[in-house]
Structures are given as structure tokens and as C-alpha cells.
PDB file of all heavy atoms in Angstrom:
ATOM      1  N   PRO A   1    -209.636 -96.808 -96.209  1.00 46.00           N
ATOM      2  CA  PRO A   1    -208.576 -95.798 -96.159  1.00 46.00           C
ATOM      3  C   PRO A   1    -207.961 -95.491 -97.517  1.00 46.00           C
ATOM      4  O   PRO A   1    -207.422 -94.419 -97.720  1.00 46.00           O
ATOM      5  CB  PRO A   1    -207.547 -96.414 -95.197  1.00 46.00           C
ATOM      6  CG  PRO A   1    -207.848 -97.884 -95.197  1.00 46.00           C
ATOM      7  CD  PRO A   1    -209.313 -98.007 -95.430  1.00 46.00           C
ATOM      8  N   GLU A   2    -208.025 -96.433 -98.481  1.00 46.00           N
ATOM      9  CA  GLU A   2    -207.456 -96.161 -99.798  1.00 46.00           C
ATOM     10  C   GLU A   2    -208.438 -95.437-100.705  1.00 46.00           C
ATOM     11  O   GLU A   2    -208.090 -94.989-101.799  1.00 46.00           O
ATOM     12  CB  GLU A   2    -207.027 -97.478-100.483  1.00 46.00           C
ATOM     13  CG  GLU A   2    -205.821 -98.156 -99.838  1.00 46.00           C
ATOM     14  CD  GLU A   2    -206.221 -98.981 -98.617  1.00 46.00           C
ATOM     15  OE1 GLU A   2    -207.414 -99.299 -98.498  1.00 46.00           O
ATOM     16  OE2 GLU A   2    -205.339 -99.271 -97.798  1.00 46.00           O
ATOM     17  N   ASP A   3    -209.669 -95.315-100.273  1.00 46.00           N
ATOM     18  CA  ASP A   3    -210.701 -94.687-101.088  1.00 46.00           C
ATOM     19  C   ASP A   3    -210.552 -93.174-100.995  1.00 46.00           C
ATOM     20  O   ASP A   3    -210.554 -92.601 -99.911  1.00 46.00           O
ATOM     21  CB  ASP A   3    -212.084 -95.097-100.576  1.00 46.00           C
ATOM     22  CG  ASP A   3    -213.196 -94.700-101.539  1.00 46.00           C
ATOM     23  OD1 ASP A   3    -213.083 -93.630-102.149  1.00 46.00           O
ATOM     24  OD2 ASP A   3    -214.160 -95.478-101.677  1.00 46.00           O
ATOM     25  N   SER A   4    -210.416 -92.503-102.151  1.00 50.00           N
ATOM     26  CA  SER A   4    -210.205 -91.057-102.158  1.00 50.00           C
ATOM     27  C   SER A   4    -211.414 -90.309-101.632  1.00 50.00           C
ATOM     28  O   SER A   4    -211.331 -89.122-101.323  1.00 50.00           O
ATOM     29  CB  SER A   4    -209.884 -90.581-103.580  1.00 50.00           C
ATOM     30  OG  SER A   4    -210.960 -90.881-104.453  1.00 50.00           O
ATOM     31  N   GLY A   5    -212.563 -90.976-101.522  1.00 64.00           N
ATOM     32  CA  GLY A   5    -213.745 -90.318-101.019  1.00 64.00           C
ATOM     33  C   GLY A   5    -213.899 -90.406 -99.514  1.00 64.00           C
ATOM     34  O   GLY A   5    -214.854 -89.866 -98.960  1.00 64.00           O
ATOM     35  N   ALA A   6    -212.987 -91.094 -98.832  1.00 79.00           N
ATOM     36  CA  ALA A   6    -213.093 -91.236 -97.385  1.00 79.00           C
ATOM     37  C   ALA A   6    -212.798 -89.916 -96.702  1.00 79.00           C
ATOM     38  O   ALA A   6    -212.063 -89.077 -97.199  1.00 79.00           O
ATOM     39  CB  ALA A   6    -212.124 -92.310 -96.894  1.00 79.00           C
ATOM     40  N   GLY A   7    -213.375 -89.767 -95.511  1.00 92.00           N
ATOM     41  CA  GLY A   7    -213.100 -88.585 -94.714  1.00 92.00           C
ATOM     42  C   GLY A   7    -214.062 -87.453 -95.007  1.00 92.00           C
ATOM     43  O   GLY A   7    -214.865 -87.494 -95.938  1.00 92.00           O
ATOM     44  N   GLY A   8    -213.994 -86.414 -94.177  1.00 96.00           N
ATOM     45  CA  GLY A   8    -214.878 -85.276 -94.331  1.00 96.00           C
ATOM     46  C   GLY A   8    -216.233 -85.527 -93.702  1.00 96.00           C
ATOM     47  O   GLY A   8    -216.556 -86.640 -93.256  1.00 96.00           O
ATOM     48  N   PHE A   9    -217.035 -84.487 -93.676  1.00 97.00           N
ATOM     49  CA  PHE A   9    -218.327 -84.524 -93.009  1.00 97.00           C
ATOM     50  C   PHE A   9    -219.439 -84.145 -93.982  1.00 97.00           C
ATOM     51  O   PHE A   9    -219.322 -83.162 -94.715  1.00 97.00           O
ATOM     52  CB  PHE A   9    -218.336 -83.553 -91.824  1.00 97.00           C
ATOM     53  CG  PHE A   9    -217.320 -83.889 -90.766  1.00 97.00           C
ATOM     54  CD1 PHE A   9    -216.029 -83.389 -90.840  1.00 97.00           C
ATOM     55  CD2 PHE A   9    -217.648 -84.728 -89.708  1.00 97.00           C
ATOM     56  CE1 PHE A   9    -215.087 -83.695 -89.879  1.00 97.00           C
ATOM     57  CE2 PHE A   9    -216.711 -85.048 -88.736  1.00 97.00           C
ATOM     58  CZ  PHE A   9    -215.429 -84.535 -88.826  1.00 97.00           C
ATOM     59  N   PHE A  10    -220.498 -84.943 -93.969  1.00 95.00           N
ATOM     60  CA  PHE A  10    -221.669 -84.616 -94.774  1.00 95.00           C
ATOM     61  C   PHE A  10    -222.408 -83.427 -94.149  1.00 95.00           C
ATOM     62  O   PHE A  10    -222.359 -83.207 -92.936  1.00 95.00           O
ATOM     63  CB  PHE A  10    -222.618 -85.811 -94.842  1.00 95.00           C
ATOM     64  CG  PHE A  10    -222.094 -86.973 -95.635  1.00 95.00           C
ATOM     65  CD1 PHE A  10    -221.707 -88.146 -95.000  1.00 95.00           C
ATOM     66  CD2 PHE A  10    -221.997 -86.901 -97.022  1.00 95.00           C
ATOM     67  CE1 PHE A  10    -221.227 -89.222 -95.726  1.00 95.00           C
ATOM     68  CE2 PHE A  10    -221.529 -87.980 -97.756  1.00 95.00           C
ATOM     69  CZ  PHE A  10    -221.135 -89.140 -97.112  1.00 95.00           C
ATOM     70  N   PHE A  11    -223.109 -82.687 -94.989  1.00 95.00           N
ATOM     71  CA  PHE A  11    -223.894 -81.557 -94.493  1.00 95.00           C
ATOM     72  C   PHE A  11    -225.090 -82.033 -93.680  1.00 95.00           C
ATOM     73  O   PHE A  11    -225.516 -81.359 -92.738  1.00 95.00           O
ATOM     74  CB  PHE A  11    -224.370 -80.690 -95.661  1.00 95.00           C
ATOM     75  CG  PHE A  11    -225.123 -79.464 -95.238  1.00 95.00           C
ATOM     76  CD1 PHE A  11    -224.495 -78.450 -94.529  1.00 95.00           C
ATOM     77  CD2 PHE A  11    -226.468 -79.323 -95.540  1.00 95.00           C
ATOM     78  CE1 PHE A  11    -225.193 -77.319 -94.114  1.00 95.00           C
ATOM     79  CE2 PHE A  11    -227.178 -78.197 -95.141  1.00 95.00           C
ATOM     80  CZ  PHE A  11    -226.531 -77.196 -94.435  1.00 95.00           C
ATOM     81  N   THR A  12    -225.620 -83.203 -94.011  1.00 92.00           N
ATOM     82  CA  THR A  12    -226.745 -83.768 -93.267  1.00 92.00           C
ATOM     83  C   THR A  12    -226.275 -84.993 -92.483  1.00 92.00           C
ATOM     84  O   THR A  12    -225.325 -85.672 -92.866  1.00 92.00           O
ATOM     85  CB  THR A  12    -227.891 -84.181 -94.211  1.00 92.00           C
ATOM     86  OG1 THR A  12    -227.389 -85.100 -95.192  1.00 92.00           O
ATOM     87  CG2 THR A  12    -228.482 -82.963 -94.898  1.00 92.00           C
ATOM     88  N   SER A  13    -226.969 -85.290 -91.398  1.00 90.00           N
ATOM     89  CA  SER A  13    -226.602 -86.417 -90.548  1.00 90.00           C
ATOM     90  C   SER A  13    -227.007 -87.736 -91.196  1.00 90.00           C
ATOM     91  O   SER A  13    -227.823 -87.777 -92.119  1.00 90.00           O
ATOM     92  CB  SER A  13    -227.265 -86.280 -89.175  1.00 90.00           C
ATOM     93  OG  SER A  13    -228.669 -86.234 -89.311  1.00 90.00           O
ATOM     94  N   HIS A  14    -226.454 -88.821 -90.682  1.00 86.00           N
ATOM     95  CA  HIS A  14    -226.738 -90.140 -91.241  1.00 86.00           C
ATOM     96  C   HIS A  14    -228.201 -90.534 -91.077  1.00 86.00           C
ATOM     97  O   HIS A  14    -228.712 -91.351 -91.856  1.00 86.00           O
ATOM     98  CB  HIS A  14    -225.847 -91.194 -90.561  1.00 86.00           C
ATOM     99  CG  HIS A  14    -224.381 -90.946 -90.739  1.00 86.00           C
ATOM    100  ND1 HIS A  14    -223.834 -90.456 -91.909  1.00 86.00           N
ATOM    101  CD2 HIS A  14    -223.336 -91.126 -89.875  1.00 86.00           C
ATOM    102  CE1 HIS A  14    -222.514 -90.350 -91.763  1.00 86.00           C
ATOM    103  NE2 HIS A  14    -222.191 -90.743 -90.545  1.00 86.00           N
ATOM    104  N   ASP A  15    -228.873 -89.972 -90.072  1.00 86.00           N
ATOM    105  CA  ASP A  15    -230.275 -90.312 -89.860  1.00 86.00           C
ATOM    106  C   ASP A  15    -231.224 -89.262 -90.445  1.00 86.00           C
ATOM    107  O   ASP A  15    -232.408 -89.237 -90.119  1.00 86.00           O
ATOM    108  CB  ASP A  15    -230.568 -90.511 -88.368  1.00 86.00           C
ATOM    109  CG  ASP A  15    -230.262 -89.264 -87.543  1.00 86.00           C
ATOM    110  OD1 ASP A  15    -229.646 -88.325 -88.068  1.00 86.00           O
ATOM    111  OD2 ASP A  15    -230.639 -89.237 -86.355  1.00 86.00           O
ATOM    112  N   HIS A  16    -230.698 -88.405 -91.305  1.00 81.00           N
ATOM    113  CA  HIS A  16    -231.535 -87.411 -91.978  1.00 81.00           C
ATOM    114  C   HIS A  16    -232.398 -88.107 -93.034  1.00 81.00           C
ATOM    115  O   HIS A  16    -232.116 -89.247 -93.430  1.00 81.00           O
ATOM    116  CB  HIS A  16    -230.647 -86.351 -92.638  1.00 81.00           C
ATOM    117  CG  HIS A  16    -231.355 -85.083 -93.014  1.00 81.00           C
ATOM    118  ND1 HIS A  16    -231.565 -84.065 -92.121  1.00 81.00           N
ATOM    119  CD2 HIS A  16    -231.900 -84.668 -94.190  1.00 81.00           C
ATOM    120  CE1 HIS A  16    -232.203 -83.077 -92.717  1.00 81.00           C
ATOM    121  NE2 HIS A  16    -232.420 -83.417 -93.975  1.00 81.00           N
ATOM    122  N   GLU A  17    -233.449 -87.427 -93.472  1.00 76.00           N
ATOM    123  CA  GLU A  17    -234.254 -87.993 -94.547  1.00 76.00           C
ATOM    124  C   GLU A  17    -233.383 -88.235 -95.782  1.00 76.00           C
ATOM    125  O   GLU A  17    -232.422 -87.508 -96.044  1.00 76.00           O
ATOM    126  CB  GLU A  17    -235.400 -87.051 -94.908  1.00 76.00           C
ATOM    127  CG  GLU A  17    -234.958 -85.705 -95.460  1.00 76.00           C
ATOM    128  CD  GLU A  17    -236.134 -84.798 -95.764  1.00 76.00           C
ATOM    129  OE1 GLU A  17    -236.781 -85.032 -96.796  1.00 76.00           O
ATOM    130  OE2 GLU A  17    -236.382 -83.869 -94.977  1.00 76.00           O
ATOM    131  N   GLN A  18    -233.685 -89.270 -96.532  1.00 81.00           N
ATOM    132  CA  GLN A  18    -232.874 -89.653 -97.679  1.00 81.00           C
ATOM    133  C   GLN A  18    -232.932 -88.583 -98.762  1.00 81.00           C
ATOM    134  O   GLN A  18    -234.005 -88.109 -99.132  1.00 81.00           O
ATOM    135  CB  GLN A  18    -233.348 -90.991 -98.247  1.00 81.00           C
ATOM    136  CG  GLN A  18    -232.431 -91.547 -99.313  1.00 81.00           C
ATOM    137  CD  GLN A  18    -232.815 -92.958 -99.718  1.00 81.00           C
ATOM    138  OE1 GLN A  18    -233.720 -93.544 -99.145  1.00 81.00           O
ATOM    139  NE2 GLN A  18    -232.126 -93.506-100.703  1.00 81.00           N
ATOM    140  N   LEU A  19    -231.766 -88.212 -99.249  1.00 73.00           N
ATOM    141  CA  LEU A  19    -231.650 -87.193-100.290  1.00 73.00           C
ATOM    142  C   LEU A  19    -231.077 -87.811-101.559  1.00 73.00           C
ATOM    143  O   LEU A  19    -230.414 -88.859-101.517  1.00 73.00           O
ATOM    144  CB  LEU A  19    -230.737 -86.049 -99.816  1.00 73.00           C
ATOM    145  CG  LEU A  19    -231.154 -85.333 -98.525  1.00 73.00           C
ATOM    146  CD1 LEU A  19    -230.087 -84.329 -98.117  1.00 73.00           C
ATOM    147  CD2 LEU A  19    -232.498 -84.644 -98.702  1.00 73.00           C
ATOM    148  N   ILE A  20    -231.299 -87.142-102.674  1.00 79.00           N
ATOM    149  CA  ILE A  20    -230.717 -87.610-103.937  1.00 79.00           C
ATOM    150  C   ILE A  20    -229.200 -87.556-103.859  1.00 79.00           C
ATOM    151  O   ILE A  20    -228.503 -88.459-104.344  1.00 79.00           O
ATOM    152  CB  ILE A  20    -231.232 -86.760-105.115  1.00 79.00           C
ATOM    153  CG1 ILE A  20    -232.742 -86.942-105.270  1.00 79.00           C
ATOM    154  CG2 ILE A  20    -230.516 -87.135-106.404  1.00 79.00           C
ATOM    155  CD1 ILE A  20    -233.358 -86.041-106.312  1.00 79.00           C
ATOM    156  N   HIS A  21    -228.688 -86.516-103.227  1.00 78.00           N
ATOM    157  CA  HIS A  21    -227.233 -86.371-103.112  1.00 78.00           C
ATOM    158  C   HIS A  21    -226.910 -85.702-101.786  1.00 78.00           C
ATOM    159  O   HIS A  21    -227.514 -84.690-101.429  1.00 78.00           O
ATOM    160  CB  HIS A  21    -226.698 -85.518-104.270  1.00 78.00           C
ATOM    161  CG  HIS A  21    -225.223 -85.235-104.177  1.00 78.00           C
ATOM    162  ND1 HIS A  21    -224.275 -86.233-104.182  1.00 78.00           N
ATOM    163  CD2 HIS A  21    -224.543 -84.057-104.067  1.00 78.00           C
ATOM    164  CE1 HIS A  21    -223.072 -85.691-104.093  1.00 78.00           C
ATOM    165  NE2 HIS A  21    -223.206 -84.382-104.018  1.00 78.00           N
ATOM    166  N   ARG A  22    -225.977 -86.283-101.027  1.00 82.00           N
ATOM    167  CA  ARG A  22    -225.518 -85.691 -99.768  1.00 82.00           C
ATOM    168  C   ARG A  22    -224.201 -84.975-100.009  1.00 82.00           C
ATOM    169  O   ARG A  22    -223.210 -85.594-100.411  1.00 82.00           O
ATOM    170  CB  ARG A  22    -225.334 -86.762 -98.694  1.00 82.00           C
ATOM    171  CG  ARG A  22    -226.621 -87.408 -98.228  1.00 82.00           C
ATOM    172  CD  ARG A  22    -226.322 -88.501 -97.213  1.00 82.00           C
ATOM    173  NE  ARG A  22    -225.849 -87.946 -95.943  1.00 82.00           N
ATOM    174  CZ  ARG A  22    -225.249 -88.670 -95.000  1.00 82.00           C
ATOM    175  NH1 ARG A  22    -224.996 -89.949 -95.203  1.00 82.00           N
ATOM    176  NH2 ARG A  22    -224.877 -88.109 -93.866  1.00 82.00           N
ATOM    177  N   THR A  23    -224.191 -83.684 -99.758  1.00 88.00           N
ATOM    178  CA  THR A  23    -223.001 -82.894-100.047  1.00 88.00           C
ATOM    179  C   THR A  23    -222.024 -82.919 -98.871  1.00 88.00           C
ATOM    180  O   THR A  23    -222.408 -83.158 -97.719  1.00 88.00           O
ATOM    181  CB  THR A  23    -223.378 -81.438-100.347  1.00 88.00           C
ATOM    182  OG1 THR A  23    -224.041 -80.886 -99.194  1.00 88.00           O
ATOM    183  CG2 THR A  23    -224.292 -81.358-101.562  1.00 88.00           C
ATOM    184  N   LYS A  24    -220.761 -82.665 -99.194  1.00 93.00           N
ATOM    185  CA  LYS A  24    -219.719 -82.426 -98.199  1.00 93.00           C
ATOM    186  C   LYS A  24    -219.141 -81.039 -98.503  1.00 93.00           C
ATOM    187  O   LYS A  24    -218.192 -80.906 -99.266  1.00 93.00           O
ATOM    188  CB  LYS A  24    -218.599 -83.462 -98.306  1.00 93.00           C
ATOM    189  CG  LYS A  24    -218.934 -84.864 -97.878  1.00 93.00           C
ATOM    190  CD  LYS A  24    -217.667 -85.714 -97.988  1.00 93.00           C
ATOM    191  CE  LYS A  24    -217.941 -87.183 -97.809  1.00 93.00           C
ATOM    192  NZ  LYS A  24    -216.700 -87.992 -98.025  1.00 93.00           N
ATOM    193  N   PRO A  25    -219.675 -79.987 -97.927  1.00 92.00           N
ATOM    194  CA  PRO A  25    -219.231 -78.631 -98.270  1.00 92.00           C
ATOM    195  C   PRO A  25    -217.825 -78.344 -97.762  1.00 92.00           C
ATOM    196  O   PRO A  25    -217.555 -78.429 -96.563  1.00 92.00           O
ATOM    197  CB  PRO A  25    -220.272 -77.740 -97.583  1.00 92.00           C
ATOM    198  CG  PRO A  25    -220.795 -78.569 -96.450  1.00 92.00           C
ATOM    199  CD  PRO A  25    -220.758 -79.987 -96.922  1.00 92.00           C
ATOM    200  N   GLY A  26    -216.930 -78.019 -98.680  1.00 95.00           N
ATOM    201  CA  GLY A  26    -215.552 -77.752 -98.299  1.00 95.00           C
ATOM    202  C   GLY A  26    -215.135 -76.317 -98.504  1.00 95.00           C
ATOM    203  O   GLY A  26    -214.331 -75.781 -97.745  1.00 95.00           O
ATOM    204  N   TYR A  27    -215.670 -75.662 -99.525  1.00 94.00           N
ATOM    205  CA  TYR A  27    -215.249 -74.286 -99.786  1.00 94.00           C
ATOM    206  C   TYR A  27    -216.117 -73.311 -99.000  1.00 94.00           C
ATOM    207  O   TYR A  27    -217.279 -73.551 -98.716  1.00 94.00           O
ATOM    208  CB  TYR A  27    -215.298 -73.970-101.284  1.00 94.00           C
ATOM    209  CG  TYR A  27    -216.627 -74.221-101.951  1.00 94.00           C
ATOM    210  CD1 TYR A  27    -217.644 -73.270-101.917  1.00 94.00           C
ATOM    211  CD2 TYR A  27    -216.862 -75.416-102.643  1.00 94.00           C
ATOM    212  CE1 TYR A  27    -218.858 -73.507-102.535  1.00 94.00           C
ATOM    213  CE2 TYR A  27    -218.086 -75.657-103.258  1.00 94.00           C
ATOM    214  CZ  TYR A  27    -219.070 -74.698-103.201  1.00 94.00           C
ATOM    215  OH  TYR A  27    -220.283 -74.932-103.805  1.00 94.00           O
ATOM    216  N   ASP A  28    -215.522 -72.181 -98.645  1.00 96.00           N
ATOM    217  CA  ASP A  28    -216.219 -71.168 -97.862  1.00 96.00           C
ATOM    218  C   ASP A  28    -217.151 -70.349 -98.749  1.00 96.00           C
ATOM    219  O   ASP A  28    -216.845 -70.093 -99.923  1.00 96.00           O
ATOM    220  CB  ASP A  28    -215.224 -70.232 -97.190  1.00 96.00           C
ATOM    221  CG  ASP A  28    -214.401 -70.926 -96.115  1.00 96.00           C
ATOM    222  OD1 ASP A  28    -214.616 -72.124 -95.886  1.00 96.00           O
ATOM    223  OD2 ASP A  28    -213.540 -70.264 -95.515  1.00 96.00           O
ATOM    224  N   ASN A  29    -218.267 -69.934 -98.168  1.00 93.00           N
ATOM    225  CA  ASN A  29    -219.175 -69.002 -98.822  1.00 93.00           C
ATOM    226  C   ASN A  29    -219.211 -67.727 -97.987  1.00 93.00           C
ATOM    227  O   ASN A  29    -218.168 -67.229 -97.585  1.00 93.00           O
ATOM    228  CB  ASN A  29    -220.567 -69.627 -98.972  1.00 93.00           C
ATOM    229  CG  ASN A  29    -220.595 -70.688-100.061  1.00 93.00           C
ATOM    230  OD1 ASN A  29    -220.410 -70.386-101.228  1.00 93.00           O
ATOM    231  ND2 ASN A  29    -220.830 -71.937 -99.678  1.00 93.00           N
ATOM    232  N   ALA A  30    -220.407 -67.200 -97.723  1.00 94.00           N
ATOM    233  CA  ALA A  30    -220.517 -66.032 -96.850  1.00 94.00           C
ATOM    234  C   ALA A  30    -220.059 -66.368 -95.435  1.00 94.00           C
ATOM    235  O   ALA A  30    -219.619 -65.494 -94.687  1.00 94.00           O
ATOM    236  CB  ALA A  30    -221.950 -65.520 -96.842  1.00 94.00           C
ATOM    237  N   THR A  31    -220.168 -67.634 -95.057  1.00 94.00           N
ATOM    238  CA  THR A  31    -219.647 -68.125 -93.786  1.00 94.00           C
ATOM    239  C   THR A  31    -218.659 -69.248 -94.072  1.00 94.00           C
ATOM    240  O   THR A  31    -218.671 -69.836 -95.153  1.00 94.00           O
ATOM    241  CB  THR A  31    -220.780 -68.658 -92.884  1.00 94.00           C
ATOM    242  OG1 THR A  31    -221.492 -69.683 -93.583  1.00 94.00           O
ATOM    243  CG2 THR A  31    -221.740 -67.532 -92.499  1.00 94.00           C
ATOM    244  N   PRO A  32    -217.768 -69.550 -93.141  1.00 96.00           N
ATOM    245  CA  PRO A  32    -216.823 -70.648 -93.349  1.00 96.00           C
ATOM    246  C   PRO A  32    -217.556 -71.973 -93.570  1.00 96.00           C
ATOM    247  O   PRO A  32    -218.691 -72.159 -93.141  1.00 96.00           O
ATOM    248  CB  PRO A  32    -216.022 -70.675 -92.051  1.00 96.00           C
ATOM    249  CG  PRO A  32    -216.155 -69.307 -91.487  1.00 96.00           C
ATOM    250  CD  PRO A  32    -217.532 -68.845 -91.866  1.00 96.00           C
ATOM    251  N   SER A  33    -216.890 -72.888 -94.233  1.00 97.00           N
ATOM    252  CA  SER A  33    -217.503 -74.188 -94.528  1.00 97.00           C
ATOM    253  C   SER A  33    -217.642 -75.016 -93.264  1.00 97.00           C
ATOM    254  O   SER A  33    -216.829 -74.923 -92.332  1.00 97.00           O
ATOM    255  CB  SER A  33    -216.660 -74.951 -95.550  1.00 97.00           C
ATOM    256  OG  SER A  33    -215.490 -75.473 -94.949  1.00 97.00           O
ATOM    257  N   GLY A  34    -218.687 -75.844 -93.229  1.00 97.00           N
ATOM    258  CA  GLY A  34    -218.873 -76.724 -92.096  1.00 97.00           C
ATOM    259  C   GLY A  34    -217.712 -77.680 -91.906  1.00 97.00           C
ATOM    260  O   GLY A  34    -217.312 -77.971 -90.776  1.00 97.00           O
ATOM    261  N   ASN A  35    -217.148 -78.179 -93.006  1.00 98.00           N
ATOM    262  CA  ASN A  35    -216.007 -79.084 -92.891  1.00 98.00           C
ATOM    263  C   ASN A  35    -214.790 -78.361 -92.320  1.00 98.00           C
ATOM    264  O   ASN A  35    -214.058 -78.921 -91.501  1.00 98.00           O
ATOM    265  CB  ASN A  35    -215.677 -79.698 -94.254  1.00 98.00           C
ATOM    266  CG  ASN A  35    -216.404 -81.007 -94.488  1.00 98.00           C
ATOM    267  OD1 ASN A  35    -215.991 -82.050 -94.020  1.00 98.00           O
ATOM    268  ND2 ASN A  35    -217.517 -80.937 -95.213  1.00 98.00           N
ATOM    269  N   GLY A  36    -214.578 -77.124 -92.758  1.00 98.00           N
ATOM    270  CA  GLY A  36    -213.440 -76.374 -92.249  1.00 98.00           C
ATOM    271  C   GLY A  36    -213.556 -76.093 -90.762  1.00 98.00           C
ATOM    272  O   GLY A  36    -212.602 -76.296 -89.992  1.00 98.00           O
ATOM    273  N   VAL A  37    -214.724 -75.644 -90.327  1.00 98.00           N
ATOM    274  CA  VAL A  37    -214.918 -75.314 -88.918  1.00 98.00           C
ATOM    275  C   VAL A  37    -214.903 -76.581 -88.065  1.00 98.00           C
ATOM    276  O   VAL A  37    -214.325 -76.603 -86.974  1.00 98.00           O
ATOM    277  CB  VAL A  37    -216.227 -74.536 -88.723  1.00 98.00           C
ATOM    278  CG1 VAL A  37    -216.498 -74.281 -87.247  1.00 98.00           C
ATOM    279  CG2 VAL A  37    -216.166 -73.206 -89.471  1.00 98.00           C
ATOM    280  N   ALA A  38    -215.532 -77.653 -88.543  1.00 98.00           N
ATOM    281  CA  ALA A  38    -215.543 -78.904 -87.788  1.00 98.00           C
ATOM    282  C   ALA A  38    -214.124 -79.431 -87.598  1.00 98.00           C
ATOM    283  O   ALA A  38    -213.732 -79.820 -86.487  1.00 98.00           O
ATOM    284  CB  ALA A  38    -216.401 -79.946 -88.493  1.00 98.00           C
ATOM    285  N   ALA A  39    -213.352 -79.455 -88.675  1.00 98.00           N
ATOM    286  CA  ALA A  39    -211.987 -79.978 -88.589  1.00 98.00           C
ATOM    287  C   ALA A  39    -211.110 -79.102 -87.706  1.00 98.00           C
ATOM    288  O   ALA A  39    -210.291 -79.602 -86.921  1.00 98.00           O
ATOM    289  CB  ALA A  39    -211.387 -80.098 -89.986  1.00 98.00           C
TER     290      ALA A  39
END
């Protein structure tokens, strides 16, 4: 809980193939962000 990186949703699931970097999209693009809509 004290970790500033806690919370939010990854773009890929935990059982997805391993990636170099798993993003947490927060800002909107042409469509609203997955984190915004999920929350």
C-alpha cells in the first residue's frame, strides 16, 4: 500500500505472454483509457 506503483490495471492479463514492459494506460486516446473505463 505504500508503494506509489500500486493500483491500476495492466493492459494485458497476468497470464498473457511475457512482455518486455506491461503498460498501465491512463490517458485517453481516440477512445477512453482502459483504466478510466474500468475504474
Side-chain angles (χ1 to χ4, degrees):
E2 290 82 19
D3 191 324
S4 60
F9 298 88
F10 291 109
F11 183 65
T12 56
S13 59
H14 300 322
D15 59 349
H16 197 84
E17 63 182 283
Q18 188 172 356
L19 302 174
I20 296 174
H21 176 61
R22 292 177 70 195
T23 60
K24 290 183 190 176
Y27 55 84
D28 293 359
N29 286 295
T31 57
S33 75
N35 269 279
V37 176

